[in-house]
Amino acid sequence: MNSPKTHATRRAVVPIANGTAAVRVYQGHHEECPCSNLAGTSIAVRQVPGFRVIENQYSRGLELPRHFHEKACLSYVIEGGYAESYGVSASVLCPPGVLRYLPPGQKHANFFKEATRCLIVEIEPDALLRVEKHTQALERPGEIRGMASTWLAQRLEQEFRQSDPLSLMSLEGILLEILADGARHAGASGPARVVPRWLRVAREY
């Protein structure tokens, strides 16, 4: 009789959005992390129709094992930076100013070499469906690039910090524009390419 197979136990301590930490235990070598809440520490949250916008802070050296999110996400790096990998391709570096898109269910891992602050946008399925009726470009992860997207991402951060009621209306409009612009650009470049820093500086200028 063959002896039963043994599986190594792997533990990962992952901080979740409210600042606490959860120890997740994975059995075996082939199991992947389950669906995860946003890691890091939540600084501020604003809810608008179709979207939830969170300012999140990540500690230096934080490593998030392979996981996925139920909802599509946008990530705008305010300061710091991180690396994101998808298992088979090289890691994508995300410095300040980068606006990235992740489709729902996309498995990925993150590493924060330095303390990082981002705006994370959770996209409700109904909002995503409005774009998917016209194009399937948002089925893959990628950087949403272009002069319009850079300007919109900066506007997103500015409006996020406003406290008047009209800022919520403005946030909704900006996010819908970002999705529309992303549908034109994110799917065409693939997940492993990013805009060179010199070009980003030129666009900002």
Side-chain angles (χ1 to χ4, degrees):
M1 179 184 295
N2 294 330
S3 59
K5 294 182 180 179
T6 58
H7 299 280
T9 299
R10 180 165 58 90
R11 293 175 179 267
V13 179
V14 182
I16 57 178
N18 61 7
T20 61
V23 178
R24 292 178 179 160
V25 180
Y26 309 111
Q27 299 289 339
H29 298 283
H30 302 291
E31 291 187 13
E32 296 172 341
C33 300
C35 177
S36 171
N37 290 325
L38 293 176
T41 301
S42 178
I43 300 173
V45 180
R46 303 200 72 181
Q47 187 85 40
V48 298
F51 306 92
R52 188 165 74 113
V53 188
I54 308 110
E55 183 177 1
N56 238 33
Q57 187 168 300
Y58 304 89
S59 59
R60 178 182 179 183
L62 176 64
E63 186 170 359
L64 302 179
R66 192 170 170 86
H67 63 284
F68 67 92
H69 306 282
E70 286 184 339
K71 296 178 181 178
C73 293
L74 290 168
S75 175
Y76 176 61
V77 183
I78 300 173
E79 61 182 23
Y82 64 94
E84 187 164 270
S85 60
Y86 307 98
V88 293
S89 58
S91 295
V92 177
L93 299 180
C94 304
V98 162
L99 177 65
R100 284 198 66 80
Y101 170 78
L102 273 179
Q106 174 68 52
K107 296 181 177 67
H108 63 287
N110 302 104
F111 175 66
F112 298 85
K113 187 176 181 180
E114 55 187 318
T116 300
R117 192 158 50 91
C118 299
L119 279 184
I120 306 295
V121 181
E122 292 181 335
I123 307 169
E124 296 294 337
D126 288 347
L128 193 62
L129 185 61
R130 295 176 66 179
V131 179
E132 290 179 339
K133 286 180 178 179
H134 305 285
T135 176
Q136 300 302 311
L138 294 182
E139 289 184 343
R140 297 193 298 165
E143 181 178 341
I144 299 180
R145 57 185 67 179
M147 294 181 66
S149 297
T150 300
W151 179 76
L152 286 168
Q154 293 169 351
R155 284 281 317 282
L156 175 66
E157 182 186 0
Q158 293 169 3
E159 290 295 337
F160 180 81
R161 306 199 183 287
Q162 300 296 323
S163 57
D164 60 278
L166 289 177
S167 65
L168 296 178
M169 183 184 301
S170 182
L171 279 174
E172 181 183 5
I174 290 169
L175 288 167
L176 288 172
E177 282 194 70
I178 287 175
L179 281 186
D181 201 54
R184 293 190 181 104
H185 300 97
S189 58
R193 296 179 57 194
V194 296
V195 176
R197 182 163 181 78
W198 65 265
L199 180 55
R200 198 184 319 282
V201 171
R203 286 175 174 172
E204 290 174 356
Y205 177 80

